[in-house]
Amino acid sequence: MNPLLKRQIGKHLKNGLNHLDQFLESIDESYGNYEDQIAILQHSMKISSDELYQANQKLRDEADRLKEINKNLEFILSSMSLDSNAPESWNDFNTSDYIKEQTIEIIKINKQREELLNSLEKQNQSLNEYAHIVSHDLKSPLRSIHSLITWIKEDNENRFDEKTSNYFSLIQKKVEKMNHLIQGILTYTKIDKVNIIKEDVDLNDLVNNIINMIFIPSHIEIVIKNKLPVTRNDTFRMQQLFQNLISNAINFNDKPSGIVEIASEEKEDHYIFSIKDNGIGICDKNQEKIFQIFESIDIDDKSTGIGLSIVKRILDNSDEKIWLESQEKIGTTFYFTLHK
């Protein structure tokens, strides 16, 4: 058990429950400290994501410049094979000098591109290392707090009044949410780090395993509309993709009788999958925002704001697409592609 928590137990509970309020305050202070660390981690990841986006934008700009130079070189090569009837304006055009200038420009752009790629690689490595270190430092004391709270509740089930029981339940919920947040951060940083191992993945088995594994409230029904295909993909990423979309559909369903429908449609060279719910829906202005890391539209503060960013990252890295159709208070359907 964490030494700090041992000290708190000995200091505040040695005389029974007389100083319970002080104990709860100390737990609250500890939790607040972890929240500050999580906030720092979130801020760092947001800054890093912005930097990565800007670097990628520069790479795209450089690629456009290279395309323009290549176009000019093709034009010059074409002009070199012109016959004697070529326009007089070509007589003053120094082809060698122009090719030399374009070659120097290409070398310059390629050097800048290499520097950007190295910077991106270092930035990703630093971000992953930082996320793992901070997350590891946070998980251990969180487990201790959760175990401690559970132990106190079990030993004093009939001695707490309603107010005290509510305090403990609130602490437990906050600790559980922080644990989910930390796990989400680790998964997010792991998406690019884990080697892609492509194999035949039976999505029927995968989805059924997810349904049996996650918590599904009694008022929510999961329906698989048709037989899902077997695709050549990475199992870990497919697990994260479907689990986050299915969990999202469950968590944001406010109907007395909720339903989540999973379906697929075969096209010539790809499949289109849909995950539909009859939940709270998403207004138009938030439909892009929900894919950004740490962004959540949940007014009840259920979401960590990471699940859909993991989904987007998986699909973007595979050149797949994701989009949605939604109406507030009616429901949402997420669509995404997987190539054959």
Side-chain angles (χ1 to χ4, degrees):
M1 184 179 293
N2 186 279
L4 174 61
L5 293 177
K6 283 185 178 180
R7 181 173 177 273
Q8 288 169 341
I9 293 171
K11 181 179 178 181
H12 297 293
L13 294 183
K14 61 184 178 181
N15 296 320
L17 298 175
N18 296 330
H19 303 288
L20 182 59
D21 289 341
Q22 295 178 27
F23 171 73
L24 291 175
E25 286 176 7
S26 66
I27 289 291
D28 184 63
E29 288 175 5
S30 298
Y31 172 74
N33 181 46
Y34 302 137
E35 263 197 335
D36 291 340
Q37 292 186 54
I38 281 290
I40 292 171
L41 177 58
Q42 289 179 341
H43 181 65
S44 173
M45 291 188 71
K46 271 185 171 294
I47 291 174
S48 298
S49 295
D50 291 341
E51 289 176 353
L52 292 176
Y53 175 80
Q54 292 171 6
N56 281 324
Q57 186 62 49
K58 288 181 180 179
L59 285 174
R60 283 192 290 269
D61 293 341
E62 297 295 353
D64 291 339
R65 288 175 62 190
L66 281 173
K67 286 180 183 178
E68 185 63 29
I69 291 172
N70 286 337
K71 183 179 177 182
N72 291 336
L73 286 174
E74 289 175 0
F75 178 72
I76 296 302
L77 291 173
S78 175
S79 71
M80 292 173 70
S81 63
L82 292 174
D83 58 27
S84 58
N85 296 322
E88 292 184 3
S89 59
W90 286 107
N91 295 332
D92 298 328
F93 190 86
N94 191 319
T95 304
S96 295
D97 287 347
Y98 188 82
I99 292 177
K100 182 180 178 181
E101 291 173 4
Q102 295 298 305
T103 302
I104 292 172
E105 185 68 16
I106 288 174
I107 293 172
K108 180 181 175 182
I109 291 174
N110 280 334
K111 186 177 180 180
Q112 292 174 345
R113 189 167 180 266
E114 185 177 347
E115 290 173 353
L116 281 169
L117 287 171
N118 289 335
S119 176
L120 278 172
E121 185 177 348
K122 289 179 181 178
Q123 189 72 34
N124 269 322
Q125 184 177 353
S126 298
L127 178 60
N128 289 340
E129 290 174 355
Y130 182 71
H132 276 79
I133 291 170
V134 174
S135 298
H136 181 270
D137 289 345
L138 288 170
K139 287 187 79 172
S140 180
L142 280 176
R143 283 194 296 266
S144 297
I145 293 174
H146 191 277
S147 298
L148 176 60
I149 297 300
T150 302
W151 167 66
I152 294 175
K153 285 181 69 176
E154 289 175 352
D155 284 4
N156 300 277
E157 185 177 358
N158 299 320
R159 300 178 63 182
F160 289 156
D161 57 24
E162 184 178 355
K163 183 178 180 181
T164 303
S165 296
N166 288 338
Y167 279 153
F168 274 100
S169 296
L170 180 61
I171 292 172
Q172 273 190 313
K173 286 179 181 178
K174 292 292 187 180
V175 170
E176 287 169 1
K177 179 178 178 181
M178 187 171 285
N179 187 60
H180 291 321
L181 176 59
I182 291 169
Q183 192 57 50
I185 291 172
L186 288 173
T187 302
Y188 184 82
T189 58
K190 196 176 176 183
I191 292 300
D192 294 333
K193 195 172 182 181
V194 174
N195 292 331
I196 295 177
I197 303 174
K198 288 201 171 185
E199 56 187 348
D200 289 337
V201 181
D202 188 332
L203 295 179
N204 298 283
D205 293 340
L206 185 138
V207 169
N208 279 309
N209 287 337
I210 291 172
I211 293 171
N212 292 327
M213 178 181 63
I214 63 176
F215 172 71
I216 302 174
S218 58
H219 70 285
I220 301 286
E221 181 185 5
I222 309 289
V223 177
I224 301 176
K225 300 286 288 184
N226 60 284
K227 185 176 180 180
L228 302 178
V230 175
T231 64
R232 190 82 178 165
N233 265 300
D234 180 86
T235 302
F236 168 73
R237 288 167 175 79
M238 290 300 100
Q239 171 85 19
Q240 290 296 322
L241 173 63
F242 280 92
Q243 183 172 326
N244 277 295
L245 285 171
I246 294 170
S247 296
N248 187 77
I250 293 170
N251 292 336
F252 297 102
N253 200 310
D254 58 345
K255 304 300 189 296
S257 297
I259 186 167
V260 178
E261 297 179 350
I262 303 166
S264 65
E265 180 183 355
E266 185 173 6
K267 299 294 184 180
E268 183 176 351
D269 62 348
H270 66 280
Y271 297 97
I272 296 177
F273 294 87
S274 63
I275 297 182
K276 179 181 180 182
D277 65 69
N278 63 336
I280 62 174
I282 306 167
C283 65
D284 292 343
K285 69 177 182 179
N286 288 328
Q287 290 185 9
E288 289 296 327
K289 174 183 174 182
I290 58 173
F291 292 110
Q292 299 173 16
I293 190 168
F294 302 130
E295 294 288 353
S296 175
I297 60 170
D298 181 22
I299 59 175
D300 293 327
D301 199 29
K302 297 175 185 174
S303 173
T304 60
I306 298 180
L308 289 178
S309 62
I310 290 173
V311 168
K312 186 74 161 59
R313 192 165 188 171
I314 291 171
L315 293 171
D316 283 350
N317 287 351
S318 302
D319 294 324
E320 303 289 0
K321 296 179 181 178
I322 184 169
W323 66 99
L324 67 139
E325 296 175 356
S326 186
Q327 286 183 278
E328 287 187 272
K329 300 181 180 180
I330 301 297
T332 303
T333 304
F334 282 93
Y335 299 93
F336 62 93
T337 62
L338 288 178
H339 281 82
K340 294 182 178 178

